[in-house]
Amino acid sequence: MAGKFFSNQPTANGCKIYLMKLTHIYRIKPSTEQVAIMDDWLELLRRHFNYALGQRFDWLRRTRCQIDRCSLVSEPIGDIPDQFPGYNFQAGELKQTKELFPVYKEIHAEVQQQNLKRVDRAWDRWIKPDKSGKKAGRPKFKKKGEMRSFTFPRINCPLAGVNKIEAGILTLSKIGSMPVIMHRPFPDGFELKTATIVKKADGWYIAVSLEDDSVPSPKPIDKIKSAVGVDLGLKFFLVTSEGETVEVQQQYRKTQKHLPGQQQRLARKEPGSKKSQKQKEKISRIHQRIGRKREIFHYSVAHQLVKSYDLIAVEDLNIKGLAKTRLAKSIYDVAWSKLLKILEAVALRSGVHFVKVSPHNTTVNCSRCGTKVPKTLSVRLHECSKCNLEMDRDENAAINVLHKALTAVGLTVAAYRRLSGYTPGEVGIPDCEVGKLSLYS
């Protein structure tokens, strides 16, 4: 399950309206004939995706070259299109596509429209900058086998592609009914929005998107009685401001000794053969197991933190920048970005404050007196000569993260102590509420 929160424009009173979106993923058991149909759909959609993308690139080449600066080698011939082949234009050509290629009549019309919307989103990410002014990379043509999902935009309504999903049965238009393993029911109050059929290494799945506009509001600031700062690292997965640590799991490093042998077997097989395809699927299942173990671990840590604290503070790290260093493999293995997304979704769903603060000087500053104590990465102990504080550098950073978060929400450390009802500890942070935090290791 994945969760996201989307904020609309502020209302008249300045408050934001939040929509909660969840995605429940269930395994489906299609028959051999249904698997063949869905594989054919994926291949046809891949070809249509590439044609629609090529149509846009062709328009771009024709309209971006001045007449006195044409290439001396080659140049497109024919009339320059008057209209940009955007989504509306390409969706209007679907009828002609079905006349020229009758096999596309077998694919649900809304699935083909969603495929063109996928092209449109990829194009917009490349052409239009996001809020931070950055653009995504140039869209690429998909090779055979790279299209692994298709989407039905409506569920359980007349003329919808997903006619029914209930009581362990999934009925898809033009594909038929098949068993679905619903290991968890749909939560009350959520509306079923879209359904995406996904082909993974170990079989077929359906990802159902649900939406609800009733998101629990965070606890009032004056009701916060327990807060924690979290410092992410590589020696320990995380260290809290109360000195608790979570060991690094290293899911990929534990498996990487097994992967080279499997990849060498793939290299010795004839490309495109059945044995080669079978070996590729075996390697894909290995990576899938790694990802699933890592995700389960992230959810375990996130839920334990949310159950224990009213406010959780983390650093707003530039993870992409850190991944360009010699520690790239270790950083990708711990997947900090994935943890922060999961932690934010779980916290907001539970009404817990989730605060990101700048990581600037959190490691350097002394958490007791604020004196700057420069240290290299190899120095694991924080030693302040001014106030004689000695503690682990990660715990010191976690306390500084908590101090910054309290300031961000409008609380001083002194005010927080009064609200929590504890006496200040040695380093200026109250002791844990009831025993120490117990996290999965």
Side-chain angles (χ1 to χ4, degrees), residues 376-406:
T376 62
L377 188 61
S378 60
V379 178
R380 306 309 305 174
L381 184 66
H382 171 79
E383 297 178 297
C384 181
S385 58
K386 184 176 181 179
C387 63
N388 298 322
L389 175 64
E390 292 187 5
M391 65 188 322
D392 182 79
R393 61 176 286 160
D394 294 334
E395 183 180 354
N396 176 74
I399 296 174
N400 285 328
V401 169
L402 177 58
H403 286 176
K404 283 190 174 185
L406 293 176

Side-chain angles (χ1 to χ4, degrees), residues 60-107:
L60 195 64
R61 286 193 300 268
R62 290 172 181 268
T63 57
R64 290 297 183 271
C65 179
Q66 299 182 15
I67 194 170
D68 61 339
R69 297 175 188 176
C70 295
S71 171
L72 297 177
V73 180
S74 63
E75 197 66 29
I77 62 175
D79 297 332
I80 298 176
D82 296 330
Q83 182 181 356
F84 169 68
Y87 169 74
N88 293 331
F89 176 84
Q90 292 178 331
E93 289 187 332
L94 282 175
K95 183 177 181 181
Q96 183 181 0
T97 301
K98 295 177 182 179
E99 293 176 354
L100 296 174
F101 305 96
V103 68
Y104 281 92
K105 295 180 180 179
E106 303 300 324
I107 303 178

Side-chain angles (χ1 to χ4, degrees), residues 151-192:
T151 301
F152 294 96
R154 295 186 292 174
I155 304 177
N156 291 350
C157 62
L159 303 179
V162 181
N163 304 126
K164 181 178 66 173
I165 175 171
E166 59 184 7
I169 298 296
L170 170 66
T171 304
L172 301 178
S173 177
K174 298 191 176 185
I175 296 179
S177 299
M178 63 191 72
V180 54
I181 303 176
M182 300 188 68
H183 57 279
R184 67 172 67 189
F186 295 126
D188 296 333
F190 281 80
E191 179 185 359
L192 304 183

